[in-house]
Amino acid sequence: MTAEDHVQQAWDTASHAWVEFVRTGKDYTRDGLNNPATFELIGNVEDLVVLDLACGEGYNTRILAREGAMVTGVDFSESMIDAARAEEETEPLGIHYHILDATALNGLTDNYFDLVTCFMSLQDIEDFGNAISEVSRILTPGGRFIFSIPHPCFEKIRLDGKKIDAAQRYFETAKYVIQWNMERLLKPFRTVTFHRPLTDYFEALHRSHLYVSRLVEPRLTEKAYEKYPYLQEALRKPQSIIVESVKSASRSTRTQ
Ligand SMILES: C[S@@+](CC[C@H](N)C(=O)[O-])C[C@H]1O[C@@H](n2cnc3c(N)ncnc32)[C@H](O)[C@@H]1O
């Protein structure tokens, strides 16, 4: 396995260019498509206790805090968390950040969070099943887990050196490198991610007593299309999928 195959190392290396990409409005898919749909699904967060899982440099974590939630952000990339903490110093929002692997949320209390969000990251988490199990542990009974991922039916993946439609090999789990090389980037970078069939995500939720309550396939509005013509494809087919699930109200988790 090369260094580029290592998820955490790749994100640490990418963090500087990623921060610039996200904070300067160059992440059109986030601003034009995913965030409007995800925050609509999330709804009012005032006074909710929220964990933003795999929060990166904290862009969406800050939105949640500005909307009145009490927010904790975790990510396993030290440089991402450094960037998030630096922003918290500049604009204090009361966010607590921790460097934590999503699969071992050590120190986070059982049955504590009203909402766990995971924006466009679950596809990057190698052991996503254990991450979902941890989410279930820390959620309060009746609490929600909302995550977004690239739509596995429509994404493009890189296999055997070629970019192909994932649908061609839909049932395979594929670990592959994304090359971020759009002209608008400060500098190109690479990250490591996974294609998995939707069944894998839904089975993992089911095993952890998280029951799917809503599903959104964000559509580009005409207004957003005027601002982000680059996202044109999303007028016809979804680029991402957003899932809301609820922890069974009768499940109170207790760590042995
Ligand atoms: C595409 S970025 C998204 C970041 C953030 N959620 C956002 O919307 O800006 C994916 C993030 O997942 C994090 N990540 C991947 N695997 C992880 C794991 N096992 N535990 C914690 N964070 C992880 C990476 O470090 C990276 O910051």
Side-chain angles (χ1 to χ4, degrees), residues 105-169:
L105 297 175
N106 301 332
L108 300 190
T109 313
D110 298 357
N111 310 308
Y112 182 72
F113 291 90
D114 300 308
L115 170 69
V116 176
T117 53
C118 186
F119 297 90
M120 296 302 277
S121 297
L122 205 53
Q123 76 282 358
D124 296 339
I125 298 179
E126 192 141 22
D127 187 357
F128 69 103
N130 268 331
I132 288 175
S133 163
E134 278 292 81
V135 167
S136 181
R137 176 181 70 76
I138 61 164
L139 269 178
T140 187
R144 295 182 299 157
F145 174 41
I146 295 182
F147 68 91
S148 51
I149 52 172
H151 202 307
C153 303
F154 299 105
E155 68 186 329
K156 296 224 187 301
I157 62 176
R158 187 170 290 279
L159 278 188
D160 308 328
K162 278 185 285 181
K163 217 173 177 185
I164 62 160
D165 286 326
Q168 286 179 39
R169 290 168 66 171

Side-chain angles (χ1 to χ4, degrees), residues 200-236:
D200 291 10
Y201 290 105
F202 282 70
E203 280 301 306
L205 292 170
H206 184 75
R207 274 197 304 277
S208 294
H209 309 283
L210 289 163
Y211 299 115
V212 174
S213 43
R214 291 184 72 189
L215 186 151
V216 177
E217 294 171 306
R219 283 184 195 208
L220 193 66
T221 60
E222 285 294 336
K223 203 167 154 232
Y225 175 43
E226 278 167 29
K227 192 167 174 200
Y228 302 103
Y230 162 89
L231 297 175
Q232 179 182 23
E233 256 204 322
L235 287 169
R236 291 182 290 109

Side-chain angles (χ1 to χ4, degrees), residues 27-86:
D27 188 354
Y28 304 152
T29 315
R30 171 192 305 263
D31 297 331
L33 199 57
N34 289 335
N35 269 12
T38 313
F39 280 100
E40 192 183 335
L41 181 61
I42 289 172
N44 183 4
V45 291
E46 212 173 338
D47 296 332
L48 291 189
V49 180
V50 179
L51 176 75
D52 190 19
L53 186 69
C55 63
E57 57 67 58
Y59 186 94
N60 290 343
T61 327
R62 291 187 287 280
I63 296 179
L64 291 162
R66 285 191 205 104
E67 290 185 355
M70 289 164 276
V71 193
T72 302
V74 300
D75 199 287
F76 72 173
S77 159
E78 193 176 340
S79 48
M80 288 286 199
I81 292 294
D82 282 350
R85 283 182 176 145

Side-chain angles (χ1 to χ4, degrees), residues 10-27 30 57 77 79-80 83 179-191:
W11 278 108
D12 268 333
T13 310
S15 68
H16 185 57
W18 173 261
V19 168
E20 200 269 347
F21 171 58
V22 171
R23 292 188 185 169
T24 55
K26 293 177 182 170
D27 188 354
R30 171 192 305 263
E57 57 67 58
S77 159
S79 48
M80 288 286 199
Q179 303 190 350
W180 303 71
N181 52 14
M182 301 87 86
E183 265 179 22
R184 61 186 188 279
L185 294 178
L186 184 66
K187 61 172 189 178
F189 56 93
R190 296 150 71 95
T191 58

Side-chain angles (χ1 to χ4, degrees), residues 152 155 157 166 169-174 176 193-197:
E155 68 186 329
I157 62 176
R169 290 168 66 171
Y170 179 77
F171 287 120
E172 278 178 45
T173 293
Y176 67 100
T193 192
F194 300 84
H195 162 83
R196 309 174 177 110

